[in-house]
């Protein structure tokens, strides 16, 4: 059995890509008379947006897998060991990796490893189905479309490429979605509500951990449709971030609140504020709306990484 | 201009893959009306085997490029920064990577990065031509075939897969080679001669450097058709290896002499002999013929890497 699993704090792309790649590989197995079995898995609870997508297309939530010990695993939508299964070094094998993030990976064996500079992992999987002429059923097309719309913030993120749009167009027909931009906003609204969430839940919702030149940096991102919601919880979240920084020994904790309608973000930080100011060339953080700032992958993490690479000293 | 370049100490796969991928990408550009230009490059002088292949198919030796500063580069047949261009961090961009080695790579941007567990990078490129229906001319088919035969040691290396054989069969027809096994041995014999070579040339011929858990490890591999040649130069090479270990501060220098007819290897070492004994579970090194040991990629480097990962202390 191969477990196909996305990153910690699963988002819609990582969950839907795990499900779709399992389906794709199972169908390839059938085609080649291989008896390999593929099972999608997630590393934790799914968010409201992903729930909305799975419900809409009548697909069950994958099983939760958090430990790689003695398992054969296929990693999707991440290639960074800080975001992968616990005990990944005890896995029987990392069989392959399929992703669209910057690369930070080492492995002692030859494996199939593919990253592409596109807006979502789902885009790559959709291309594989079409290129290899593997049948995509309505459910899978719906999930792939959901993942593309989610990760590209309905094509507003600068990570969006023409290929994402072409794949979305093709998938829209198969999934029988009449207007994918309306559907994309429906998904985003499901995710964006900050109501009834604790500060911890807000920080954790889409949080990724990075090792930047020896510094432990955590970056969360939240999509908001109404910034009033954000202002209402700002102080509480900020206190919790400071506590988290200390308890877990982060150099920097950064939350990116992204307004998907106004197309930009505000930052909240705990820890190395200096790094954030210098990396983004801003003199203050509080209350600054960064127009066009939509992508952690392309506009946030690389700039911080660059800063820490140039500033050798660990700042703990 | 994009420079398509293989690893330091170019071998036949890295040179022919650079040439073929440039051709492939140029043809794709023409198809999509893009005006991108691709130029194959090598990091140093080519060996006798590669010369034989280029001569046979009437292809010129690519230009030598050793420094990445301000260049847009595409890396083939390696993904390890120790084997790539000088000043890779000053490259305008690493545009993509295509390889069949174990992975050891990090990069801050999303790029196209593909590794496959096959016998040569040429195998992957051949597959791309066939899948995308790009015309392969006779010269390119000949180079790709040469590279596959070279890297798989005419299908004797345990890195060989069915895909390598299938691609070789297809390429054989296009390249108009009547018997590729005979042609493969012709290539190997061109490379295997140790005569008229200095100890330095013998060590450098196919030498790769690794960072194994902080230890600087150099592994060379030589293919020999007559082990008498090897015994004749053994003492001299051994002295030079000891000097090299000290001068360049290696933890370990290991040379693998592979007999392609008897299908196995003998080791020569300088430095951390203990690591070699423990990694390969042998009680002595001198005069031990390791039957079936053919692949640095699969049978040598991973075992040493594993050893150094378990033994944390740097042994300099």
């Amino acid at each position: 059995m191969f477990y196909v699993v996305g990153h910690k704090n699963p988002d819609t792309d990582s969950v839907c890509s795990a499900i779709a790649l399992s389906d794709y590989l199972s169908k390839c197995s059938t085609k080649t008379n291989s008896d390999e079995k593929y099972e999608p898995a997630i590393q934790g609870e799914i968010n409201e947006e992903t729930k909305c997508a799975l419900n809409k297309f009548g697909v069950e939530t994958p099983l939760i897998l958090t430990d790689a010990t003695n398992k054969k695993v296929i990693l999707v939508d991440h290639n960074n060991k800080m975001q992968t299964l616990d005990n990944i070094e005890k896995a029987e094998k990392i069989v392959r990796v399929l992703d669209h993030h910057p690369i930070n990976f080492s492995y002692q064996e030859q494996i199939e490893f593919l990253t592409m500079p596109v807006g979502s992992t789902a885009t790559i999987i959709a291309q594989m189905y079409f290129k290899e002429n593997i049948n995509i059923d309505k459910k899978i097309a719906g999930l792939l479309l959901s993942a593309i719309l989610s990760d590209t913030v309905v094509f507003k993120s600068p990570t969006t490429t023409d290929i994402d749009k072409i794949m979305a167009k093709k998938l829209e027909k198969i999934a029988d979605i009449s207007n994918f931009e309306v559907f994309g906003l429906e998904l985003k609204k499901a995710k964006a509500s900050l109501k009834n969430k604790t500060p911890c839940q807000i920080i954790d919702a889409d949080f990724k951990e990075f090792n930047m030149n020896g510094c432990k940096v955590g970056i969360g991102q939240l999509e908001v449709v109404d910034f009033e919601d954000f202002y209402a919880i700002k102080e509480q979240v900020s206190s919790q971030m400071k506590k988290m920084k200390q308890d877990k020994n982060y150099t920097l904790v950064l939350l990116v609140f992204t307004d998907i309608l106004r197309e930009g973000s505000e930052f909240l930080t705990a820890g190395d504020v200096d790094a954030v100011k210098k990396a983004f060339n801003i003199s203050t953080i509080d209350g600054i709306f960064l127009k066009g700032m939509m992508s952690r992958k392309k506009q946030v993490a690389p700039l911080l990484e660059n800063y820490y690479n140039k500033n050798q000293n660990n700042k703990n």
Side-chain angles (χ1 to χ4, degrees), chain A:
Chain A
M1 174 66 76
F2 297 98
Y3 293 93
V4 184
V5 64
H7 54 73
K8 282 194 201 301
N9 282 325
D11 62 6
T12 300
D13 191 25
S14 84
V15 177
C16 295
S17 289
I19 296 169
L21 188 61
S22 298
D23 175 75
Y24 172 86
L25 293 171
S26 299
K27 283 174 177 164
C28 290
S29 280
T30 310
K31 227 176 158 184
T32 58
N33 290 320
S34 148
D35 55 2
E36 297 295 4
K37 298 265 174 276
Y38 299 88
E39 176 80 36
I42 53 180
Q43 289 197 60
E45 295 299 329
I46 59 175
N47 67 34
E48 293 301 320
E49 183 193 85
T50 313
K51 250 180 226 169
C52 171
L54 294 179
N55 280 342
K56 179 144 191 137
F57 298 102
V59 179
E60 273 178 38
T61 308
L63 65 88
I64 290 183
L65 179 76
T66 57
D67 194 301
T69 307
N70 298 331
K71 300 269 189 302
K72 286 182 280 194
V73 295
I74 293 172
L75 309 182
V76 290
D77 200 36
H78 71 294
N79 71 81
N80 187 320
K81 295 207 173 153
M82 295 189 85
Q83 290 155 16
T84 201
L85 296 164
D86 298 338
N87 295 312
I88 191 71
E89 69 288 351
K90 292 184 189 157
E92 183 184 329
K93 179 162 181 165
I94 299 176
V95 178
R96 62 194 278 173
V97 177
L98 186 74
D99 190 19
H100 71 128
H101 289 88
I103 299 163
N104 185 354
F105 192 79
S106 69
Y107 198 58
Q108 289 169 23
E109 287 176 59
Q110 290 177 283
I111 58 168
E112 180 159 351
F113 183 107
L114 174 64
T115 65
M116 304 263 288
V118 291
S120 73
T121 301
T123 306
I124 309 169
I125 299 172
Q127 270 195 308
M128 288 160 56
Y129 273 102
F130 293 122
K131 278 203 177 174
E132 298 294 329
N133 249 319
I134 303 287
N135 173 54
I136 309 186
D137 54 38
K138 189 178 163 182
K139 284 180 182 186
I140 296 292
L143 295 188
L144 288 170
L145 176 61
S146 303
I148 296 174
L149 294 171
S150 166
D151 248 33
T152 63
V153 195
V154 198
F155 307 141
K156 286 177 181 167
S157 168
T159 56
T160 311
T161 67
D162 287 345
I163 308 171
D164 300 310
K165 291 178 186 169
I166 294 166
M167 289 302 127
K169 264 275 171 228
K170 285 189 168 194
L171 293 165
E172 180 191 36
K173 279 180 202 150
I174 305 168
D176 203 13
I177 293 291
S178 58
N179 183 325
F180 61 70
E181 302 209 343
V182 171
F183 171 56
L185 273 180
E186 187 185 320
L187 284 174
K188 285 297 160 199
K189 280 184 187 159
K191 190 181 179 185
S193 173
L194 299 178
K195 275 169 200 146
N196 305 322
K197 281 187 186 149
T198 66
C200 280
Q201 285 171 331
I202 288 170
I203 298 166
D204 278 351
D206 178 9
F207 192 82
K208 285 184 180 167
E209 204 175 292
F210 300 85
N211 178 341
M212 296 186 176
N213 198 20
C215 298
K216 186 175 167 186
V217 176
I219 311 176
Q221 184 170 24
L222 272 100
E223 287 152 359
V224 183
V225 273
D226 183 353
F227 249 47
E228 289 305 318
D229 288 354
F230 162 55
Y231 297 132
I233 50 96
K234 201 170 154 179
E235 285 309 314
Q236 274 177 291
V237 171
S238 193
S239 306
Q240 182 58 35
M241 283 165 68
K242 282 183 189 121
K243 189 173 177 304
M244 183 178 167
K245 183 214 164 290
Q246 284 213 312
D247 292 352
K248 297 192 177 167
N249 208 23
Y250 281 100
T251 302
L252 168 67
V253 178
L254 173 68
L255 278 201
V256 183
F257 286 85
T258 301
D259 186 324
I260 58 175
L261 298 177
R262 282 196 297 152
E263 298 184 29
S265 300
E266 259 191 51
F267 287 162
L268 264 191
T269 55
D272 190 1
V273 178
D274 211 38
V276 180
K277 285 184 188 165
K278 284 189 178 142
F280 298 94
N281 197 20
I282 49 180
S283 57
T284 180
I285 288 165
D286 201 38
I288 297 291
F289 184 76
L290 296 150
K291 188 78 189 160
M293 174 74 69
M294 304 287 283
S295 166
R296 169 170 54 199
K297 192 184 293 115
K298 211 159 182 165
Q299 298 173 298
V300 182
L303 274 71
L304 278 172
E305 189 135 43
N306 204 12
Y307 169 85
Y308 282 109
N309 284 341
K310 284 183 185 155
N311 294 267
Q312 294 284 339
N313 303 328
N314 283 19
K315 297 185 175 182
N316 287 314

